[in-house]
Amino acid sequence: MSSAIKIHLPDGSVREVPAGTTPLDIANSISPRLAAASVVARLTPVSGDGAGSANKADESAEAAMYLAEQAGAPRLVDMATPLTEDTKLELVTERDPEALKVVRHSAAHVLATAVLELFPETKLGHGPATESGFFYDFYREQPFTPEDLAAIEAKMAEVIARNEKFVREYEPREQALAEFDRDGDFMKTHFVTKFTEPGSQVSFYRNGHFVDFCRGPHVPSTGRVKAAKVMSISGAYWLGSEKNPQLQRIYGTAFFSKKDLDEYLERLEDAKRRDHRRLGKELELFTVSEDVGAGLPLWLPKGATIRRLLEEYILDLERKEGYEHVYTPDLAKVDLYIRSGHWAHYHEDMFPPMDLETEKMVLRPMNCPHHILIYESKPRSYRELPVKLAELGTMYRWERSGVLSGLSRVRCMTLNDAHIFCTPEQIKEEFSKVMKLVERAYRDLGITQYSYRLSLRDPANKEKYVDNDAMWELGEQVLRDAMNGLGLKYKEARGEAAFYGPKVDIQLADVMGHEETYSTIQVDFHLPSQFGLEYTGADGNKHRPVMIHRGVISTMERMTSYLIELYAGAFPFWLAPIQVGLVPISERHTEYATKVKAELQAAGFRVELDARNEKMNAKIRDLANQKIPYILVFGDKEQEAGAVSVRTRGKGDQGAMPLADFIARAKGLVGSMSTEL
Ligand SMILES: [Zn+2]
Ligand SMILES: [Zn+2]
C-alpha cells in the first residue's frame, strides 16, 4: 500500500516520496536549518489530476480528518503529519503571519498543561489564539489569585523547558465522550458533541501527560513556544448564560523570541501612557457625564481649545482651496433620508425618528442630503463647477454602548465634511486635489504613519448597498485609476464601502498597530441621480454632476483623540491648550509676571500664571505635569533685566533671554506649526 505521492514545492519542483512521508522529512531533505525554522506546513490540494483518489480508501484517521476539511482550500498541518496524497506543500516559518497564531495556540496548550499540573481539579474549556495572544477558559470553584497566575507562568516556563513533543492521537468519539462525561469535563463534552460527527475518530494532542481535544495544528514541541506570558484574567459565564457556571478566562501572549515579547510589552506600556481617555482626564481635555449619556463627550476648555485650533486650521486651508463653507441643521425630515437612501441602507446606525405634530424628524447620520439641497437651491451652469460645499457638520450615529470609547467612538460627532459637485471630466483632478489636501494636512499635524485602502462593497451582502452593478464598477474603476495615476500604493477591502459607492480610506494605526479610518474620499454617482441634480453644459443641455464626498481631518472627536495619543498629551506649541506657564519665584515678582502675561496674551499666546504662595519648584512641577511647552520663571535678576528664564518641555532649563526674543521665537513656532520646541 505504500504507494508514491508527488509533493509540489513552491519553487516549482516536484518530489516523488513514499506515502506517509512528513513535511518534516521533506524539510530535512532540503536543509536541516529549514526544518528547524519551520513551524507548520501549508498544504494545498493539487487540483484536476485525481491521482490522490486511490488513497481515499485508506481508512486512516488522518484521512477522516481530511474529509472534514474544506476540499481545495489550503490548510495548515503539523510538521509530523503523514502525507497521503499528492499535494502542494509550503513550509511555514516565522516569517509567515500564520505562524505566530500557531505558536500562540500552542502556548494555550502549555498554559492548560501548567494549570492542570498545579490545580488538577480544574476543568478545561477551550484555548484559541486571538489578535494579540491567546486565552484558555477554565472552570474551577476557587478564583485564581495573582499569586496563582505567577505560579502558572513559572510552570509554563518549565513546560516549555521540558520541550515535550505535540503528538496527535485519535480515539473513537463515543469512547472520548464517555471519558469526558465520567470526569465531569462538561465543556469538552459540549465541544466534542458539537464539532464532531457520530461514529468518527476524535483528534487529540498530547504533550507529556497533558492531553487535549484539538484539531491542531501545533508547533512540533513545547520548546518552540519561545516566549510566553500570562497577561490577565476575566470572568465569563459558560456559553454566555448566567444560569451556567462562571468560567475564568486566562489571557496570555506568546512570541517567537523574548525580544519580540519585550517589545510588545513595551508597546503596551506606551499605549497605556498615551491612552487618550486617561490623558483626557489628567489634562482636563474632555469628560463624559452619566447625566448626558455615554458617547456624548463634553469638551472642557483645554480640549475645546485644541478643537477650535483644528477647526480654524482646516477652515482656513479649505478657503484657500476654493471651498465655500455653509451651515445646515443637525436634523431633517425622515423623508429626506428615505429619498437619499440612508433610511433603507443606514437606519440601523441612526437614532430613531421623533414624531412631531404631522412630521417625523431624525437626527442626521450624514451631511450629504443637506449639501445636495444647497446645490439644488439655484440653477447651476458648467461654468460654476466644481461647486465645493464644506461644513464642520455635526452628525449622530447609534453606536452600541459596548464599543463607545472616549473621543474615538462616540454617538455625536462633528465631521470636517465637504461635497464637491463636478462634471465627470473633473473627477480625476478634484480627486487628486483632495489627496494632496489630505497629505498637506497630515504633514502640518505631524502625522506620518498612514496607508491607503480602497473600500469596496461586499458582493455577498448586496442588500447593504445601492443596487446598480454598472455604477459600482464605474466607481471602482474611477478610484483605481485615480490612485494608480497618483502612484499611491493601496490595499483593497471588501465590505468597507459606503452604501452609495466605493471610497478611498486613509488609515492611521495606533501604537498597537490597530488601524482606523480617518480620512475618506468617495466618488458618488448615486445621490446625484437620486436627487435629479443637474447643470447646464456648454452645449446648453442638462447634464448630471458627479459628487465627491470627502473628509480631510476626520471628525473633531476622532482626530483629537488621535493627536492626544500621537503626542502623548505633549502637543506641538501651536496646538498646546496652554502654551506658556509663568512662575514668579516669590510674591514680589508677581507684578512683573502679570505684566509679562498681558504682553504674551496680547501677542496671541495662551498663558497660565501660577501666582500661588507655593515653592517655586512645586509650581514648576505642577505646570510641567500639564505638559506645557514653555515655563518662564521670574526672580529679581529677570525682573531687572526685562528678561525671562526659560524651561523647555523635555529639555529643561535653557537659561535667561529677553522677553522680546522669547516672543519672536514662539511666533516662529506657531507660524511653522513646528513639532519641535
Ligand atoms: Zn490545540
Ligand atoms: Zn457625504
Side-chain angles (χ1 to χ4, degrees):
M1 77 143 255
S2 118
S3 55
I5 54 172
K6 289 198 184 83
I7 307 298
H8 301 249
L9 296 172
D11 65 0
S13 67
V14 180
R15 294 193 178 210
E16 211 164 296
V17 296
T21 301
T22 66
L24 184 63
D25 296 333
I26 290 166
N28 265 316
S29 75
I30 298 169
S31 105
R33 262 183 72 188
L34 179 61
S38 299
V39 177
V40 284
R42 182 179 288 115
L43 302 186
T44 312
V46 181
S47 52
D49 63 8
S53 58
N55 287 328
K56 291 266 165 67
D58 177 0
E59 277 305 313
S60 76
E62 185 66 20
M65 290 304 292
Y66 279 177
L67 294 175
E69 300 281 346
Q70 205 185 342
R75 62 196 185 92
L76 298 179
V77 299
D78 300 327
M79 290 298 288
T81 303
L83 302 170
T84 56
E85 290 184 334
D86 290 0
T87 182
K88 291 181 195 156
L89 180 145
E90 191 190 338
L91 296 163
V92 174
T93 65
E94 289 181 14
R95 282 197 296 270
D96 192 299
E98 296 284 328
L100 190 57
K101 282 188 200 153
V102 175
V103 168
R104 287 173 170 174
H105 169 66
S106 304
H109 280 247
V110 171
L111 168 64
T113 308
V115 167
L116 282 199
E117 284 183 22
L118 293 167
F119 309 97
E121 71 282 12
T122 307
K123 300 299 173 209
L124 302 181
H126 71 155
T130 63
E131 271 302 297
S132 58
F134 61 88
F135 67 79
Y136 210 113
D137 282 337
F138 299 104
Y139 174 70
R140 179 173 173 258
E141 264 176 44
Q142 273 171 290
F144 291 114
T145 64
E147 293 74 32
D148 292 344
L149 294 181
I152 290 167
E153 192 175 290
K155 182 61 83 180
M156 285 174 75
E158 277 179 39
V159 177
I160 290 169
R162 295 202 298 252
N163 197 20
E164 295 162 352
K165 274 205 166 73
F166 281 104
V167 180
R168 194 169 193 174
E169 299 173 350
Y170 298 89
E171 204 174 279
R173 178 177 189 262
E174 283 60 38
Q175 186 186 329
L177 280 173
E179 285 167 15
F180 281 139
D181 237 18
R182 178 197 67 205
D183 297 339
D185 271 309
F186 61 98
M187 293 181 280
K188 291 296 179 194
T189 305
H190 170 86
F191 289 129
V192 173
T193 308
K194 188 168 170 193
F195 293 116
T196 64
E197 296 294 325
S200 66
Q201 293 282 322
V202 176
S203 164
F204 289 85
Y205 275 84
R206 173 188 297 279
N207 60 285
H209 299 292
F210 177 76
V211 180
D212 201 358
F213 164 60
C214 190
R215 294 174 66 116
H218 302 95
V219 295
S221 61
T222 58
R224 295 293 292 276
V225 179
K226 293 265 167 29
K229 186 166 175 55
V230 171
M231 300 299 289
S232 61
I233 184 162
S234 74
Y237 289 104
W238 166 235
L239 302 177
S241 167
E242 285 173 42
K243 291 185 202 122
N244 288 336
Q246 198 169 15
L247 308 181
Q248 304 186 65
R249 175 170 292 182
I250 299 182
Y251 288 93
T253 193
F255 286 89
F256 290 116
S257 69
K258 176 85 167 55
K259 183 170 158 279
D260 287 356
L261 172 62
D262 288 345
E263 275 170 16
Y264 171 77
L265 296 175
E266 238 168 70
R267 272 206 312 281
L268 212 56
E269 274 308 302
D270 194 28
K272 269 189 213 156
R273 188 174 69 83
R274 291 170 186 272
D275 188 330
H276 83 277
R277 292 162 302 182
R278 190 177 66 79
L279 287 170
K281 197 170 178 181
E282 273 177 29
L283 301 176
E284 298 181 11
L285 302 176
F286 68 93
T287 186
V288 179
S289 158
E290 285 278 316
D291 294 327
V292 178
L296 301 168
L298 304 173
W299 295 75
L300 302 175
K302 286 174 185 162
T305 298
I306 293 172
R307 172 170 169 169
R308 179 177 55 74
L309 290 162
L310 285 175
E311 291 179 349
E312 287 171 355
Y313 164 75
I314 195 64
L315 293 179
D316 191 44
L317 201 56
E318 284 172 347
R319 269 193 298 272
K320 289 174 186 156
E321 290 283 323
Y323 287 87
E324 298 175 288
H325 291 104
V326 298
Y327 293 102
T328 57
D330 291 4
L331 72 178
K333 290 185 192 173
V334 82
D335 296 345
L336 181 63
Y337 298 98
I338 291 173
R339 192 170 162 204
S340 67
H342 286 88
W343 194 250
H345 299 284
Y346 203 73
H347 82 271
E348 282 174 12
D349 297 301
M350 292 169 69
F351 280 82
M354 294 167 259
D355 274 306
L356 301 162
E357 295 178 349
T358 58
E359 292 168 346
K360 262 189 200 304
M361 309 291 289
V362 279
L363 289 167
R364 65 176 172 191
M366 295 185 196
N367 308 313
C368 337
H370 284 104
H371 290 186
I372 288 172
L373 297 178
I374 290 179
Y375 175 88
E376 235 186 3
S377 65
K378 63 173 183 179
R380 303 283 181 174
S381 147
Y382 72 97
R383 287 192 193 85
E384 303 168 56
L385 300 187
V387 170
K388 306 181 183 190
L389 301 175
E391 179 177 11
L392 290 164
T394 301
M395 325 177 293
Y396 302 82
R397 293 185 186 172
W398 177 252
E399 298 267 17
R400 285 176 301 108
S401 53
V403 303
L404 297 173
S405 172
L407 287 179
S408 59
R409 285 294 283 272
V410 291
R411 287 172 172 164
C412 165
M413 65 218 78
T414 299
L415 179 65
N416 162 226
D417 203 0
H419 295 93
I420 299 168
F421 300 85
C422 64
T423 68
E425 295 74 38
Q426 290 170 329
I427 296 175
K428 205 173 160 196
E429 188 186 344
E430 289 309 314
F431 180 90
S432 100
K433 279 185 184 165
V434 174
M435 292 303 278
K436 287 193 181 114
L437 191 59
V438 170
E439 293 191 329
R440 161 81 195 270
Y442 281 15
R443 197 166 59 239
D444 287 343
L445 297 177
I447 299 168
T448 53
Q449 303 290 323
Y450 53 92
S451 62
Y452 300 101
R453 182 177 82 179
L454 181 56
S455 295
L456 310 169
R457 70 178 163 164
D458 177 3
N461 206 351
K462 278 194 177 176
E463 71 283 2
K464 267 180 70 189
Y465 307 94
V466 169
D467 181 20
N468 185 338
D469 288 338
M471 190 195 80
W472 279 93
E473 276 154 33
L474 178 61
E476 292 185 14
Q477 202 46 49
V478 166
L479 290 181
R480 268 202 198 94
D481 288 351
M483 291 299 281
N484 294 337
L486 292 170
L488 295 173
K489 284 207 182 94
Y490 57 90
K491 58 181 183 225
E492 301 195 357
R494 295 264 158 214
E496 297 290 343
F499 74 83
Y500 45 79
K503 56 188 178 129
V504 169
D505 292 322
I506 295 124
Q507 306 288 105
L508 301 190
D510 67 12
V511 181
M512 300 310 293
H514 300 306
E515 279 191 354
E516 289 275 7
T517 300
Y518 281 74
S519 311
T520 61
I521 310 174
Q522 308 165 29
V523 175
D524 177 9
F525 302 94
H526 170 71
L527 288 177
S529 91
Q530 205 67 10
F531 282 84
L533 298 186
E534 291 179 337
Y535 65 91
T536 307
D539 57 3
N541 294 327
K542 299 287 185 198
H543 297 271
R544 180 136 297 154
V546 180
M547 260 176 98
I548 298 175
H549 307 243
R550 47 110 285 196
V552 169
I553 59 165
S554 189
T555 66
M556 297 306 110
E557 289 76 11
R558 183 165 272 187
M559 183 49 78
T560 303
S561 77
Y562 183 83
L563 293 174
I564 294 170
E565 300 195 351
L566 175 66
Y567 291 112
F571 296 101
F573 186 73
W574 74 274
L575 196 56
I578 303 291
Q579 295 169 297
V580 187
L582 304 181
V583 176
I585 291 175
S586 76
E587 260 172 88
R588 69 175 182 280
H589 308 114
T590 302
E591 200 189 323
Y592 176 58
T594 308
K595 215 182 108 232
V596 170
K597 182 183 176 186
E599 212 165 313
L600 287 169
Q601 279 176 330
F605 298 113
R606 299 177 292 277
V607 188
E608 186 171 311
L609 165 62
D610 189 345
R612 289 176 304 161
N613 191 14
E614 286 279 346
K615 288 217 162 56
M616 176 185 81
N617 282 338
K619 294 198 276 194
I620 291 175
R621 191 192 54 227
D622 289 352
L623 290 170
N625 283 342
Q626 292 186 54
K627 302 178 192 272
I628 295 174
Y630 292 109
I631 298 170
L632 307 183
V633 183
F634 313 97
D636 292 334
K637 253 192 337 203
E638 287 81 9
Q639 191 162 331
E640 275 157 33
V644 294
S645 198
V646 182
R647 278 161 193 273
T648 306
R649 185 181 64 205
K651 293 180 180 169
D653 195 346
Q654 305 289 297
M657 68 165 74
L659 176 60
D661 289 6
F662 174 78
I663 290 177
R665 181 161 132 191
K667 279 188 172 163
L669 288 178
V670 172
S672 64
M673 299 178 82
S674 169
T675 53
E676 301 289 318
L677 294 179

